[in-house]
Amino acid sequence: MYDAWLQLTHRGLVLGGAPFLVTLLLVFLLKPVARRLGLVDHPGARKIHGDPTPLAGGAAITLAALATAGFLLPMTRDVVALGAASLMMLVVGTVDDRYDINWRVRIVAQTAAALVLYTWGGVRVESIGGAFGFPRHNQGNRSLPFTILATVGVTNAINWADGVDGLAGSLCLAAFAMLAAAAIYAGNAPLADDLMLMGGCVIGFLAYNLRTPWRPRASVFLGDGAEILGLWIAWASFRLTQTVGHPVTPVLAPFLIAPPVIDCLVLIVRRLRARRSPFFADRNHLHHLLLDAGLSSTAVVVVLTGASLAIGLAAATARRIHVPEPVFPAIYLAAAAIYFLVSRRTGDRLTPPVEPQIVIRPADSARPRPDALGEGVMVAPVRVERSEA
């Protein structure tokens, strides 16, 4: 047993350490490049950062994973497919970070990435286990749409959680750790190796993105790279629960990333009820609620990451003591319903933020108007329609 743990620790240090160092280097190198290319996130009504911040994290994580995987991992079909899908999403995400393209284009890119995983990589959802009370409930012809829906859903859930320094990265790191532990427990060593490499990339990014006593603000953001992390989680979840010979019940997967997924589901329902697009930007996210309740950004990261770990471990423990599988989706939906009820706000929180537009006029121009705030400065509120970042 000791030798096995020693070997696992050594392998983990190699598989996690190399991508960690490469990500550190790439973030350092790509930050000035991102500024020159205009890949910068500027402060706004829905954003809590005070300074323009380069969007280089997603590119650094993706390129570091591809570079190190080529040396440390066997190039199996599913790994190559994930690399191709990640590169495709990186290109579309970079264009979106620069030009803010329509959300429908990003959904098409996410769907295409899911198709790459399904057709080329053979990574798909073919069974949901006993979630509905049937011992072997296979998807059959529903496998393709279910795989696409699950991939797009997880991808956007992680992207929408990227609203506080260090939050999306910490949630993904917790998910990778729990997925790796489950893979080791199930004897799926190749998947555990892949997840340790992914975790190393995320830790390298968090070294720049987490708030610390010596750095009060993140120095780099993920940008649309959060979608790539969501894609990785979906891919790993499918491989964990659909691999013949090392099966883990599929009902556990949603519990490993419960806070962002439940938040995403509730937001979609709330927006549709308000006759808005599911991708309409607002301040109803779980992290917004916690910030408005008085928590600091660091406290929000600690609370939500800790909650994610606790929920995942509780679900795994429940399954080990043979809690029936149909109970799991029932609990998940009940938790989403409870969160929907307790997170209601007074007032129209779906109204887009109002940003002032400043128009400078000469001091000796026409007679001051009633809405003037001081000599020569006129402020006019403008309604701004935005989609989710």
Side-chain angles (χ1 to χ4, degrees):
M1 178 64 72
Y2 174 77
D3 291 339
W5 276 108
L6 188 63
Q7 183 179 5
L8 179 63
T9 302
H10 177 266
R11 190 160 182 77
L13 288 174
V14 174
L15 289 169
F20 165 75
L21 294 174
V22 175
T23 304
L24 281 178
L25 176 62
L26 285 176
V27 171
F28 177 78
L29 295 176
L30 291 176
K31 282 169 62 178
V33 176
R35 291 187 184 277
R36 285 198 297 270
L37 295 177
L39 296 169
V40 177
D41 192 2
H42 296 277
R46 295 178 56 250
K47 301 172 182 179
I48 62 174
H49 61 284
D51 300 313
T53 306
L55 300 168
I61 286 175
T62 305
L63 296 177
L66 293 175
T68 53
F71 293 98
L72 300 176
L73 299 177
M75 289 295 98
T76 56
R77 188 178 64 169
D78 52 346
V79 171
V80 174
L82 179 63
S86 299
L87 275 178
M88 180 174 59
M89 289 188 62
L90 176 62
V91 171
V92 176
T94 302
V95 174
D96 180 55
D97 286 337
R98 180 63 180 86
Y99 298 105
D100 194 19
I101 61 180
N102 189 280
W103 62 268
R104 295 177 180 84
V105 177
R106 286 161 38 211
I107 293 297
V108 170
Q110 294 164 14
T111 302
L115 286 172
V116 170
L117 300 186
Y118 186 95
T119 57
W120 184 4
V123 180
R124 57 191 67 173
V125 182
E126 295 181 333
S127 171
I128 57 174
F132 297 112
F134 305 104
R136 294 180 182 177
H137 190 77
N138 293 323
Q139 292 295 308
N141 294 331
R142 296 183 298 273
S143 175
L144 176 58
F146 195 92
T147 301
I148 293 174
L149 180 63
T151 303
V152 173
V154 173
T155 297
N156 283 285
I158 298 300
N159 189 42
W160 291 5
D162 188 25
V164 174
D165 292 350
L167 180 57
S170 297
L171 289 171
C172 290
L173 183 61
F176 290 145
M178 289 187 286
L179 287 164
I184 293 170
Y185 179 80
N188 194 340
L191 177 58
D193 290 348
D194 300 338
L195 288 162
M196 284 187 278
L197 185 145
M198 294 174 181
C201 293
V202 174
I203 295 173
F205 163 73
L206 286 174
Y208 293 90
N209 187 245
L210 272 175
R211 296 188 178 190
T212 62
W214 53 89
R215 188 185 59 241
R217 294 286 186 273
S219 63
V220 68
F221 288 161
L222 275 171
D224 277 1
E227 296 182 358
I228 297 174
L229 292 182
L231 178 72
W232 291 1
I233 290 176
W235 175 87
S237 299
F238 301 160
R239 284 192 56 199
L240 178 69
T241 60
Q242 308 295 315
T243 301
V244 178
H246 307 287
V248 174
T249 176
V251 300
L252 282 182
F255 287 88
L256 304 182
I257 46 171
V261 171
I262 289 177
D263 188 43
C264 179
L265 291 173
V266 169
L267 282 171
I268 290 174
V269 172
R270 184 165 280 136
R271 290 166 183 172
L272 291 177
R273 280 168 54 88
R275 298 183 179 180
R276 298 284 195 183
S277 163
F279 293 86
F280 181 80
D282 57 40
R283 277 187 54 85
N284 279 315
H285 291 276
L286 178 55
H287 53 266
H288 289 141
L289 304 183
L290 294 176
L291 288 171
D292 292 348
L295 272 68
S296 67
S297 295
T298 301
V300 170
V301 173
V302 172
V303 168
L304 291 182
T305 305
S308 184
L309 286 167
I311 293 169
L313 293 174
T317 302
R319 189 64 197 123
R320 286 199 65 185
I321 61 176
H322 305 295
V323 172
E325 291 189 1
V327 173
F328 287 82
I331 291 176
Y332 206 83
L333 293 175
I338 292 170
Y339 172 62
F340 176 84
L341 294 175
V342 302
S343 63
R344 284 182 174 178
R345 298 226 199 182
T346 57
D348 181 15
R349 297 294 296 186
L350 292 173
T351 300
V354 176
E355 295 182 344
Q357 182 181 30
I358 307 299
V359 180
I360 306 298
R361 301 180 185 278
D364 58 349
S365 62
R367 183 183 307 168
R369 292 168 53 184
D371 57 349
L373 298 180
E375 186 178 23
V377 180
M378 310 297 292
V379 180
V382 178
R383 293 177 68 85
V384 181
E385 294 279 344
R386 283 198 182 95
S387 64
E388 281 286 357

Short mmCIF file of all heavy atoms in Angstrom, two decimals, residues 5-38:
data_model
loop_
_atom_site.label_atom_id
_atom_site.label_comp_id
_atom_site.label_asym_id
_atom_site.label_seq_id
_atom_site.Cartn_x
_atom_site.Cartn_y
_atom_site.Cartn_z
N TRP A 5 1.06 4.28 -2.84
CA TRP A 5 0.85 5.70 -2.59
C TRP A 5 2.09 6.51 -2.96
O TRP A 5 1.97 7.65 -3.47
CB TRP A 5 0.51 5.93 -1.11
CG TRP A 5 -0.94 5.72 -0.81
CD1 TRP A 5 -1.51 4.69 -0.13
CD2 TRP A 5 -2.02 6.58 -1.21
NE1 TRP A 5 -2.88 4.83 -0.10
CE2 TRP A 5 -3.21 5.99 -0.74
CE3 TRP A 5 -2.08 7.77 -1.92
CZ2 TRP A 5 -4.46 6.56 -0.95
CZ3 TRP A 5 -3.32 8.35 -2.14
CH2 TRP A 5 -4.49 7.75 -1.65
N LEU A 6 3.27 5.97 -2.73
CA LEU A 6 4.49 6.67 -3.09
C LEU A 6 4.57 6.86 -4.60
O LEU A 6 4.94 7.94 -5.09
CB LEU A 6 5.70 5.88 -2.58
CG LEU A 6 7.07 6.56 -2.70
CD1 LEU A 6 7.10 7.83 -1.86
CD2 LEU A 6 8.18 5.61 -2.30
N GLN A 7 4.23 5.81 -5.34
CA GLN A 7 4.24 5.90 -6.79
C GLN A 7 3.20 6.90 -7.29
O GLN A 7 3.46 7.68 -8.22
CB GLN A 7 3.97 4.52 -7.40
CG GLN A 7 4.04 4.50 -8.93
CD GLN A 7 3.79 3.10 -9.47
OE1 GLN A 7 3.49 2.18 -8.72
NE2 GLN A 7 3.93 2.94 -10.77
N LEU A 8 2.01 6.89 -6.66
CA LEU A 8 0.95 7.82 -7.05
C LEU A 8 1.38 9.26 -6.78
O LEU A 8 1.13 10.16 -7.60
CB LEU A 8 -0.33 7.49 -6.29
CG LEU A 8 -1.54 8.39 -6.56
CD1 LEU A 8 -1.96 8.28 -8.01
CD2 LEU A 8 -2.70 8.00 -5.64
N THR A 9 2.01 9.49 -5.63
CA THR A 9 2.46 10.84 -5.29
C THR A 9 3.51 11.34 -6.27
O THR A 9 3.47 12.48 -6.74
CB THR A 9 3.02 10.86 -3.86
OG1 THR A 9 2.02 10.42 -2.96
CG2 THR A 9 3.47 12.26 -3.48
N HIS A 10 4.46 10.46 -6.61
CA HIS A 10 5.51 10.84 -7.56
C HIS A 10 4.90 11.15 -8.92
O HIS A 10 5.26 12.15 -9.57
CB HIS A 10 6.53 9.71 -7.68
CG HIS A 10 7.60 9.99 -8.69
ND1 HIS A 10 7.52 9.55 -10.00
CD2 HIS A 10 8.77 10.67 -8.60
CE1 HIS A 10 8.58 9.94 -10.66
NE2 HIS A 10 9.37 10.61 -9.83
N ARG A 11 3.97 10.32 -9.36
CA ARG A 11 3.33 10.55 -10.66
C ARG A 11 2.51 11.84 -10.64
O ARG A 11 2.48 12.60 -11.60
CB ARG A 11 2.44 9.35 -11.01
CG ARG A 11 1.92 9.38 -12.44
CD ARG A 11 1.47 8.01 -12.89
NE ARG A 11 1.01 8.02 -14.27
CZ ARG A 11 1.80 8.05 -15.32
NH1 ARG A 11 3.11 8.07 -15.14
NH2 ARG A 11 1.32 8.06 -16.54
N GLY A 12 1.84 12.09 -9.51
CA GLY A 12 1.05 13.31 -9.40
C GLY A 12 1.92 14.56 -9.44
O GLY A 12 1.53 15.57 -10.05
N LEU A 13 3.09 14.50 -8.82
CA LEU A 13 3.99 15.65 -8.84
C LEU A 13 4.48 15.93 -10.26
O LEU A 13 4.61 17.10 -10.66
CB LEU A 13 5.18 15.39 -7.92
CG LEU A 13 4.88 15.43 -6.41
CD1 LEU A 13 6.12 15.03 -5.62
CD2 LEU A 13 4.43 16.83 -6.00
N VAL A 14 4.74 14.87 -11.02
CA VAL A 14 5.20 15.06 -12.40
C VAL A 14 4.06 15.56 -13.28
O VAL A 14 4.20 16.55 -14.01
CB VAL A 14 5.78 13.75 -12.96
CG1 VAL A 14 6.11 13.91 -14.44
CG2 VAL A 14 7.02 13.34 -12.18
N LEU A 15 2.91 14.89 -13.20
CA LEU A 15 1.78 15.24 -14.07
C LEU A 15 1.16 16.58 -13.71
O LEU A 15 0.61 17.26 -14.58
CB LEU A 15 0.72 14.14 -14.00
CG LEU A 15 1.08 12.83 -14.67
CD1 LEU A 15 0.07 11.74 -14.31
CD2 LEU A 15 1.11 13.01 -16.19
N GLY A 16 1.23 16.96 -12.44
CA GLY A 16 0.70 18.25 -12.05
C GLY A 16 1.74 19.35 -12.05
O GLY A 16 1.44 20.51 -12.37
N GLY A 17 2.98 19.00 -11.73
CA GLY A 17 4.03 20.01 -11.62
C GLY A 17 4.45 20.61 -12.95
O GLY A 17 4.63 21.82 -13.07
N ALA A 18 4.61 19.77 -13.97
CA ALA A 18 5.05 20.28 -15.27
C ALA A 18 4.04 21.27 -15.87
O ALA A 18 4.43 22.37 -16.27
CB ALA A 18 5.30 19.10 -16.22
N PRO A 19 2.75 20.93 -15.97
CA PRO A 19 1.80 21.91 -16.50
C PRO A 19 1.66 23.15 -15.62
O PRO A 19 1.39 24.24 -16.12
CB PRO A 19 0.48 21.14 -16.58
CG PRO A 19 0.65 19.96 -15.71
CD PRO A 19 2.10 19.63 -15.74
N PHE A 20 1.86 23.00 -14.30
CA PHE A 20 1.83 24.16 -13.40
C PHE A 20 2.91 25.15 -13.80
O PHE A 20 2.64 26.36 -13.95
CB PHE A 20 2.02 23.68 -11.97
CG PHE A 20 2.36 24.78 -11.00
CD1 PHE A 20 1.39 25.66 -10.57
CD2 PHE A 20 3.66 24.91 -10.52
CE1 PHE A 20 1.71 26.68 -9.67
CE2 PHE A 20 3.98 25.92 -9.62
CZ PHE A 20 3.01 26.81 -9.20
N LEU A 21 4.13 24.67 -13.99
CA LEU A 21 5.23 25.56 -14.33
C LEU A 21 5.05 26.16 -15.72
O LEU A 21 5.32 27.35 -15.93
CB LEU A 21 6.55 24.79 -14.26
CG LEU A 21 6.97 24.31 -12.87
CD1 LEU A 21 8.22 23.44 -12.95
CD2 LEU A 21 7.19 25.49 -11.94
N VAL A 22 4.59 25.36 -16.67
CA VAL A 22 4.37 25.87 -18.03
C VAL A 22 3.28 26.93 -18.04
O VAL A 22 3.38 27.95 -18.72
CB VAL A 22 4.03 24.71 -18.99
CG1 VAL A 22 3.68 25.25 -20.38
CG2 VAL A 22 5.20 23.74 -19.10
N THR A 23 2.22 26.71 -17.27
CA THR A 23 1.14 27.71 -17.20
C THR A 23 1.65 29.00 -16.58
O THR A 23 1.32 30.10 -17.05
CB THR A 23 -0.05 27.17 -16.38
OG1 THR A 23 -0.49 25.94 -16.96
CG2 THR A 23 -1.20 28.17 -16.39
N LEU A 24 2.43 28.90 -15.50
CA LEU A 24 3.02 30.10 -14.91
C LEU A 24 3.80 30.90 -15.94
O LEU A 24 3.65 32.13 -16.03
CB LEU A 24 3.96 29.70 -13.76
CG LEU A 24 3.36 29.33 -12.41
CD1 LEU A 24 4.47 28.93 -11.44
CD2 LEU A 24 2.56 30.48 -11.83
N LEU A 25 4.60 30.22 -16.73
CA LEU A 25 5.42 30.90 -17.73
C LEU A 25 4.56 31.52 -18.83
O LEU A 25 4.77 32.67 -19.23
CB LEU A 25 6.43 29.91 -18.33
CG LEU A 25 7.31 30.44 -19.47
CD1 LEU A 25 8.17 31.59 -18.97
CD2 LEU A 25 8.16 29.32 -20.05
N LEU A 26 3.57 30.76 -19.30
CA LEU A 26 2.74 31.25 -20.40
C LEU A 26 1.89 32.45 -19.99
O LEU A 26 1.71 33.39 -20.77
CB LEU A 26 1.86 30.13 -20.93
CG LEU A 26 2.56 29.08 -21.80
CD1 LEU A 26 1.60 27.96 -22.18
CD2 LEU A 26 3.14 29.73 -23.05
N VAL A 27 1.35 32.43 -18.77
CA VAL A 27 0.58 33.59 -18.32
C VAL A 27 1.48 34.82 -18.30
O VAL A 27 1.09 35.91 -18.77
CB VAL A 27 -0.03 33.34 -16.93
CG1 VAL A 27 -0.64 34.63 -16.38
CG2 VAL A 27 -1.10 32.27 -17.00
N PHE A 28 2.69 34.67 -17.78
CA PHE A 28 3.63 35.79 -17.72
C PHE A 28 3.93 36.33 -19.12
O PHE A 28 3.99 37.56 -19.33
CB PHE A 28 4.92 35.33 -17.03
CG PHE A 28 5.99 36.38 -16.98
CD1 PHE A 28 5.94 37.39 -16.04
CD2 PHE A 28 7.06 36.34 -17.88
CE1 PHE A 28 6.93 38.37 -16.00
CE2 PHE A 28 8.04 37.31 -17.84
CZ PHE A 28 7.98 38.33 -16.90
N LEU A 29 4.10 35.43 -20.08
CA LEU A 29 4.44 35.84 -21.44
C LEU A 29 3.24 36.40 -22.21
O LEU A 29 3.38 37.31 -23.04
CB LEU A 29 5.03 34.66 -22.22
CG LEU A 29 6.36 34.11 -21.71
CD1 LEU A 29 6.76 32.87 -22.51
CD2 LEU A 29 7.46 35.16 -21.79
N LEU A 30 2.05 35.87 -21.95
CA LEU A 30 0.87 36.25 -22.72
C LEU A 30 0.17 37.50 -22.21
O LEU A 30 -0.61 38.11 -22.94
CB LEU A 30 -0.13 35.09 -22.75
CG LEU A 30 0.29 33.85 -23.55
CD1 LEU A 30 -0.74 32.75 -23.41
CD2 LEU A 30 0.47 34.22 -25.03
N LYS A 31 0.43 37.90 -20.98
CA LYS A 31 -0.22 39.10 -20.44
C LYS A 31 0.08 40.35 -21.28
O LYS A 31 -0.85 41.05 -21.69
CB LYS A 31 0.17 39.32 -18.98
CG LYS A 31 -0.56 38.42 -18.00
CD LYS A 31 0.06 38.48 -16.63
CE LYS A 31 -0.03 39.86 -16.02
NZ LYS A 31 0.55 39.91 -14.65
N PRO A 32 1.33 40.66 -21.59
CA PRO A 32 1.56 41.84 -22.44
C PRO A 32 1.05 41.67 -23.86
O PRO A 32 0.62 42.65 -24.49
CB PRO A 32 3.09 41.99 -22.41
CG PRO A 32 3.61 40.64 -22.03
CD PRO A 32 2.59 40.05 -21.12
N VAL A 33 1.06 40.44 -24.37
CA VAL A 33 0.51 40.19 -25.70
C VAL A 33 -0.98 40.47 -25.73
O VAL A 33 -1.51 41.10 -26.66
CB VAL A 33 0.79 38.72 -26.13
CG1 VAL A 33 0.13 38.44 -27.48
CG2 VAL A 33 2.29 38.45 -26.19
N ALA A 34 -1.69 40.03 -24.69
CA ALA A 34 -3.13 40.28 -24.61
C ALA A 34 -3.42 41.77 -24.57
O ALA A 34 -4.38 42.25 -25.22
CB ALA A 34 -3.70 39.59 -23.37
N ARG A 35 -2.63 42.53 -23.85
CA ARG A 35 -2.85 43.98 -23.80
C ARG A 35 -2.66 44.61 -25.17
O ARG A 35 -3.45 45.47 -25.59
CB ARG A 35 -1.89 44.61 -22.78
CG ARG A 35 -2.21 44.26 -21.32
CD ARG A 35 -1.32 45.07 -20.38
NE ARG A 35 -1.53 44.70 -19.00
CZ ARG A 35 -2.50 45.16 -18.23
NH1 ARG A 35 -3.38 46.02 -18.73
NH2 ARG A 35 -2.60 44.77 -16.97
N ARG A 36 -1.63 44.20 -25.89
CA ARG A 36 -1.37 44.77 -27.21
C ARG A 36 -2.48 44.42 -28.20
O ARG A 36 -2.79 45.21 -29.10
CB ARG A 36 -0.02 44.28 -27.74
CG ARG A 36 1.18 44.95 -27.07
CD ARG A 36 2.44 44.77 -27.90
NE ARG A 36 2.81 43.37 -28.01
CZ ARG A 36 3.62 42.74 -27.17
NH1 ARG A 36 4.12 43.41 -26.13
NH2 ARG A 36 3.93 41.48 -27.33
N LEU A 37 -3.07 43.23 -28.06
CA LEU A 37 -4.13 42.81 -28.98
C LEU A 37 -5.50 43.31 -28.57
O LEU A 37 -6.49 43.02 -29.26
CB LEU A 37 -4.14 41.27 -29.06
CG LEU A 37 -2.90 40.62 -29.67
CD1 LEU A 37 -3.04 39.09 -29.63
CD2 LEU A 37 -2.69 41.09 -31.11
N GLY A 38 -5.59 44.00 -27.47
CA GLY A 38 -6.88 44.49 -27.01
C GLY A 38 -7.70 43.46 -26.28
O GLY A 38 -8.92 43.64 -26.10
#
